[in-house]
Each structure stands twice: as C-alpha cells, then as structure tokens.
Amino acid sequence: MEMIKMYLEELEQEAKVSKKMLERIPNDHFGWKPHEKSMDIKNLAGHLADLHSWAGLILSTDELDFMNMPYQLEDMNNTAELLNCLEKSLDKSRAQLVPEMEKALNDNWTLRSGETIYDVSPKTKVIRMSLNQITHHRAQLGVYLRLLDIPLPASYGPSADEKEF
C-alpha cells in the first residue's frame, strides 16, 4: 500500500473519533482546566482540531520555524467553531495527501525556532508523529471530559459509557 493512501485513510478514521470527542464539549466549559499547569479545554480542543492539518503542512513545507511563524490557533469559542476548524484542517491535509506527494515522504522536514533545531526527520516520520499527537491530545481531552462527568464516545472499541458501537 502506498504511504500517502495509508495516511489519508488513518487521518479520516482519526477525524471521526476526534469529531465525536469535540462534539461533547459544552460551550460553557471552554475555560475549564483540571489543573493550573494544564491547558484549558478551549486550547486543548483547538489544538486537537488543528492537528488534523499537520499532514498537509508537513507535505507542503520543508520546515516549521516558530521564530518566523508563531503557532497561533484561531479563536474558537464554541463547539461549532471547533468542528469547523476540524473540517478546515482536514481539507488542508486532504489537499496534500495525494499520490503525487508519495515521492516527498523521504524528504527531510525541520522543526525549529530560529537557530534552535528541535528535530530534522523524514516527512514520513513527522506525519506519523503528528497522527500520534492527535491520539495523545484526544486522550487528554477524554480525561477532561471524564472529570466533568461527560460520557465518552467509543473510539477504537467501546467506552465505559457506550458499550456498543
């Protein structure tokens, strides 16, 4: 199987689960966070929605330099805006996850802040990391929702709240 096709299929599947999680966030809890060192739900959920664009970002660029392009989320203040961000993010990745990009997967991609280089890896590895980040931050969001006593949707199998698919 071509890697691009595999990444696209995986991203589409992950987006379905992310959407179910984002839909559960009550608008009146956007400022809530479980601990002073934690992100609030608004920023965590916004980052999760945005991460679905990273495969496209990685394929369409050679680096992300935080010094020249600070990472800033659009301001989202309700669940509908989060879901819209998720869809726009998916569209950005879908536009790049095309067969013609297969040859670019072995090119290096750099994560840096000015002269400080955090990582230089093949794009295929960085895309994998970005997909892992989706899972990681979605799990964090699941903890937030559990602490707020909001039922969790099924993801890779049934949740304690949804015993059936």
Side-chain angles (χ1 to χ4, degrees):
M1 174 186 277
E2 296 88 13
M3 296 296 292
I4 290 288
K5 182 180 177 190
M6 181 190 72
Y7 288 143
L8 180 58
E9 289 174 3
E10 186 173 350
L11 182 67
E12 296 287 355
Q13 184 60 41
E14 293 302 319
K16 289 177 188 175
V17 179
S18 294
K19 182 178 180 185
K20 290 192 296 185
M21 292 287 283
L22 294 172
E23 288 172 335
R24 306 269 171 125
I25 300 171
N27 290 332
D28 62 345
H29 280 79
F30 268 51
W32 186 86
K33 57 185 180 178
H35 188 274
E36 65 185 45
K37 292 182 182 178
S38 300
M39 284 191 274
D40 59 26
I41 285 181
K42 176 182 176 175
N43 287 312
L44 176 60
H47 183 51
L48 171 60
D50 180 66
L51 277 168
H52 292 74
S53 71
W54 278 54
L57 172 74
I58 294 159
L59 285 168
S60 65
T61 63
D62 292 323
E63 71 174 15
L64 174 56
D65 183 348
F66 290 118
M67 182 85 61
N68 295 322
M69 188 183 135
Y71 180 70
Q72 180 136 8
L73 292 172
E74 63 181 83
D75 190 28
M76 295 171 272
N77 295 298
N78 59 56
T79 305
E81 290 173 353
L82 283 172
L83 295 172
N84 186 51
C85 177
L86 174 65
E87 285 305 315
K88 288 191 302 187
S89 295
L90 279 168
D91 287 343
K92 290 176 185 175
S93 286
R94 287 174 182 137
Q96 296 298 319
L97 287 166
V98 294
E100 299 79 31
M101 295 304 285
E102 190 79 31
K103 61 187 177 292
L105 288 173
N106 291 320
D107 295 345
N108 279 338
W109 194 82
T110 303
L111 182 63
R112 68 183 326 138
S113 183
E115 296 299 315
T116 304
I117 296 175
Y118 300 114
D119 185 59
V120 177
S121 295
K123 290 182 179 191
T124 188
K125 181 178 177 186
V126 183
I127 291 171
R128 167 60 43 219
M129 182 275 303
S130 74
L131 291 167
N132 291 342
Q133 284 290 302
I134 289 170
T135 306
H136 164 74
H137 288 297
R138 196 172 58 227
Q140 284 182 302
L141 181 57
V143 171
Y144 283 35
L145 296 177
R146 175 63 73 218
L147 291 171
L148 290 170
D149 202 27
I150 296 169
L152 300 180
S155 56
Y156 303 115
S159 74
D161 301 305
E162 294 182 358
K163 303 225 188 265
E164 296 180 22
F165 286 106

